[in-house]
Amino acid sequence: MTQESAVLDAPDTVVRDGSNTRKVFIKTYGCQMNVYDSTRMSDALAKDGYEPTEDMEEADLVLLNTCHIREKAAEKVYSALGRLRDMKKRKAADGRAMMIGVTGCVAQAEGEEILRRAPAVDVVIGPQTYHRLPHALRRAKEGQRVVDTEYALEDKFEHLPIAEKGKIRSRGVTAFLTVQEGCDKFCTFCVVPYTRGSEVSRPVQQIVEEAEKLVDGGVREITLLGQNVNAWHGAGPNGQAWSLGDLLYRLAEIPGLARLRYTTSHPRDMDDRLIGAHSDLRKLMPYLHLPVQSGSNRILKAMNRRHTTAEYLALIDKIRSARPDIALSGDFIVGFPGETEEDFADTLKLVEDVRYAQAFSFKYSTRPGTPGAELKDQVPEEIKADRLERLQALLLKQQQEFAEACVGKVIDLLLEKPGRMPGQLIGRSPWLQSVNVDAKASQIGDIINVRITGTSTNSLFADVV
Ligand code: 5AD
Ligand code: SF4
């Protein structure tokens, strides 16, 4: 262990008599990776005696885990910080100290600027240095304001505790597990390569151990996360490089783990081993998030996506032959600089060809520092809004068609949490839909057979068979 990590790992002395337990409130913005990071920060803080709370009023520490992917993210954070400043003052007047931390991608992008614009903030920590958060908080308590947005040399995952086997806090039935972070693709619209840095893959052993601990804690379904998850290439036990396909075959061997998913993938990195895993592994759910962003070859080129629509469609065919019941999901950007009505029509055409079960679509948002921001021919706001509306109408129609096609089918349902009505639970279908069914709370975590009976806007209904 290095000296630095010895310092990082030494917890504060806390008298755990209830009155002295500290509470942390974490507000998570953005993607699933932030959700995972928030859990890991919460684990790291638990060592220092912090318990999570859902009530900001009783928090001794408030963390904003921020996202920078689209516009106004930073402004949203600054206005939230304004409200927190008032709360901090009010609590101080009552003799209660409250610390404020900003983490995540806005922290990385803004750094010192946050301390300048938001004097109530105590610590600013980037996504690569979460493991130093407890240490930073101790320094903050001594009156220093801390900014730590370096790309740490040590491996943060080695330092972020996840509870010992058998002692894990309940995490529910489904969990995220980050296996890969950062991105080397440099799509011209995207800030990720700048905020999360270049691609890093965690080694196999670390991932398997974490997965086993999660399963030990009651998790039945694990979603592997990475900005470019299918580019993951971690070191295997003997130092040889593994691919994501290899990793999925290995994780599928864990007893008690029922379901595997992974997200987000880049079309360029869907190799045959991974596609093969979709036909071989029953534990690998038939759902794939495979963003294409645009259906126009000209725009794909300008976005530096490094594939054509024909290549994307051929890939989808190949995946569907390997796993015919696979549901596809995607991301789209409308109004990328230079996008004409014709380009946009190509996007609609591609959507018609693919038929998505689900999709996310966004207006292009200029990110300072990305090549897209320098391009001429920025598309006017009204045109972006109009195209987004048309695209979303089509995607919604496809989503509903997909849901309706499920009616009458008998499926495996993983029971996840209490439903809206007493006596009901919400479960997840293999295709990631929420399904309401009559079941007992004691069945949470079970996988049962149900028949889909109907649909509503965002969920399905089912009867136990
Ligand atoms: N503007 C709009 N959407 C963006 N995304 C990423 N960067 C931008 C941007 N500058 C979208 C992409 C990506 C998803 C996570 O967010 O569709 O796949
Ligand atoms: Fe951003 Fe492109 Fe990397 Fe995805 S692949 S994180 S869109 S640069």
Side-chain angles (χ1 to χ4, degrees), residues 29-96:
Y29 299 84
C31 67
Q32 292 143 326
M33 194 163 293
N34 268 10
V35 175
Y36 173 85
D37 287 344
S38 291
T39 320
R40 297 301 297 265
M41 283 192 276
S42 173
D43 286 342
L45 290 169
K47 267 194 157 178
D48 269 12
Y50 280 97
E51 274 178 13
T53 175
E54 305 276 303
D55 178 8
M56 206 187 276
E57 236 356 277
E58 65 166 21
D60 304 285
L61 167 65
V62 174
L63 294 177
L64 302 183
N65 192 11
T66 60
C67 168
H68 203 232
I69 195 92
R70 281 172 293 275
E71 215 158 12
K72 302 210 176 82
E75 290 316 309
K76 260 192 240 163
V77 171
Y78 284 117
S79 63
L81 286 173
R83 293 191 295 275
L84 283 176
R85 175 197 55 209
D86 298 342
M87 179 179 270
K88 183 172 180 167
K89 265 195 204 146
R90 184 161 49 73
K91 286 189 182 174
D94 292 346
R96 292 152 57 210

Side-chain angles (χ1 to χ4, degrees), residues 67-75 105-106 109-110 188-192 194-195 363-374 378:
C67 168
H68 203 232
I69 195 92
R70 281 172 293 275
E71 215 158 12
K72 302 210 176 82
E75 290 316 309
C105 296
V106 174
E110 296 274 296
T188 54
F189 52 82
C190 188
V191 284
V192 166
Y194 312 96
T195 52
K363 288 189 273 188
Y364 171 70
S365 147
T366 314
R367 309 313 292 137
T370 60
E374 312 289 314
Q378 298 282 334

